[in-house]
Amino acid sequence: MIRLHVIAEGQTEEEFVKTVLADHLGYFNISSTSVHCITTKRTKNKVYRGGLTSYEQVKRDITLWLKQDKSGDARFTTMLDLYALPNDFPKFDEAKELECYQKIEYLENAFFNDIGDPRFIPYIQLHEFEALILVQPEKLSERFPEYEQEIQELSNVCNSFSSPELINQGATTAPSKRIFQFVPTYEKVSAGSLIVQKIGLASIRGKCPHFNQWITRLENLQV
C-alpha cells in the first residue's frame, strides 16, 4: 500500500485534499494521505504556512519531506497553481510562449527533474484551484443564493470555454478573479472545497483533462 504526501499551495487546496481527495484515494492502493501547506516563514515559536512566493519555498518543503520519509512505499505530490507561479520556477522563462497544456507538461517535467526523486509526482493546476468550481459554477448558488443572477452570467461566460482549465491566468480573468467579479463575498477556504465536493470528482474529471491525468496517476500508484 502507498502512503501519499501532498504539498499544497494554500489552505483551500489543503482542505480539498483532506475532504475530497483523501477519501477518494482510500478506495485505491493508498493507505493514507497526508497534506500540509507550503512553509512561508519560520520564527522561534511559530511556522507560517500557505502561499507561494518563490520556488525555493516549495523545493525546501519537498526536499525535507523526502529526507524525513525515505520509505519505498511513500509517494509525494503537489497541488500548486499555475496562476502567479513564481518566476524562479525551473524553466519558467522557456515555458512562457507555449500553449497551456504544453506549458504545464514542460513545467512539471522541469519540476520533477529538479527535485530528482522518482517517488515525486509534480502537479500544477491549470490555472488555479477555482477552475474546478467553474466546471459547474451554478453550484455557487447553493452557498450564495443572493447572487443567483450574477452566477448565471458567470456560467454563461464559462460555457464559452471547452474546459475550465483554459480559463486564463490574467490578473482580472483568472478563475478566482472571475468568481469574485460575480460573487464578491466568495470565501476561498470555507466555500471552495465544499463546492467542489458538491460538483463531484467525476464531473470535474470529465471537464478537466490535466486534473484527470493527475488523479488517474495517483489511483494507479504501486509500490
Side-chain angles (χ1 to χ4, degrees):
M1 298 287 283
I2 295 293
R3 293 177 299 106
L4 182 64
H5 302 310
V6 185
I7 301 283
E9 177 163 338
Q11 291 178 302
T12 307
E13 291 85 358
E14 181 181 35
E15 189 66 18
F16 165 78
V17 172
K18 289 179 177 178
T19 61
V20 180
L21 186 61
D23 287 348
H24 174 76
L25 293 177
Y27 291 100
F28 296 86
N29 191 41
I30 297 179
S31 61
S32 63
T33 301
S34 58
V35 58
H36 75 234
C37 293
I38 295 166
T39 302
T40 53
K41 181 181 177 182
R42 291 180 183 268
T43 65
K44 185 177 181 180
N45 300 314
K46 189 172 182 179
V47 175
Y48 297 85
R49 297 190 184 276
L52 180 59
T53 58
S54 77
Y55 173 68
E56 287 304 314
Q57 290 175 328
V58 67
K59 182 177 181 178
R60 181 177 59 241
D61 277 11
I62 295 168
T63 303
L64 179 61
W65 214 344
L66 287 165
K67 289 179 179 177
Q68 290 174 339
D69 190 346
K70 297 182 179 181
S71 174
D73 66 346
R75 297 294 184 274
F76 304 81
T77 191
T78 54
M79 194 172 191
L80 312 177
D81 292 339
L82 179 59
Y83 174 63
L85 195 72
N87 60 14
D88 62 342
F89 206 87
K91 302 294 184 180
F92 182 87
D93 288 335
E94 294 91 329
K96 279 183 178 178
E97 302 305 318
L98 297 176
E99 177 272 333
C100 68
Y101 285 112
Q102 293 177 329
K103 177 186 293 186
I104 212 73
E105 181 180 4
Y106 191 78
L107 288 170
E108 287 177 350
N109 286 339
F111 194 7
F112 174 80
N113 291 333
D114 191 62
I115 296 300
D117 191 304
R119 299 175 300 159
F120 177 56
I121 303 142
Y123 177 69
I124 303 171
Q125 175 68 44
L126 274 168
H127 282 87
E128 59 177 338
F129 176 84
E130 278 73 18
L132 308 183
I133 293 174
L134 297 185
V135 168
Q136 291 181 14
E138 57 272 18
K139 292 291 186 182
L140 286 161
S141 296
E142 297 182 22
R143 183 66 180 264
F144 306 100
E146 67 275 22
Y147 293 106
E148 185 172 2
Q149 182 176 341
E150 290 84 353
I151 291 168
Q152 183 57 54
E153 293 177 29
L154 173 61
S155 183
N156 293 339
V157 171
C158 294
N159 287 338
S160 65
F161 294 88
S162 60
S163 167
E165 290 182 337
L166 299 177
I167 296 176
N168 66 31
Q169 58 177 335
T172 61
T173 56
S176 65
K177 306 302 182 184
R178 292 180 187 266
I179 292 175
F180 280 120
Q181 179 185 349
F182 293 96
V183 187
T185 58
Y186 168 71
E187 307 135 354
K188 288 175 71 74
V189 177
S190 61
S193 181
L194 180 63
I195 293 167
V196 165
Q197 196 168 9
K198 289 179 179 294
I199 295 168
L201 283 180
S203 296
I204 293 169
R205 295 174 74 173
K207 291 286 287 183
C208 299
H210 182 60
F211 177 82
N212 180 54
Q213 288 172 359
W214 178 52
I215 300 298
T216 300
R217 188 173 179 188
L218 297 181
E219 290 171 345
N220 287 283
L221 288 175
Q222 301 290 331
V223 176

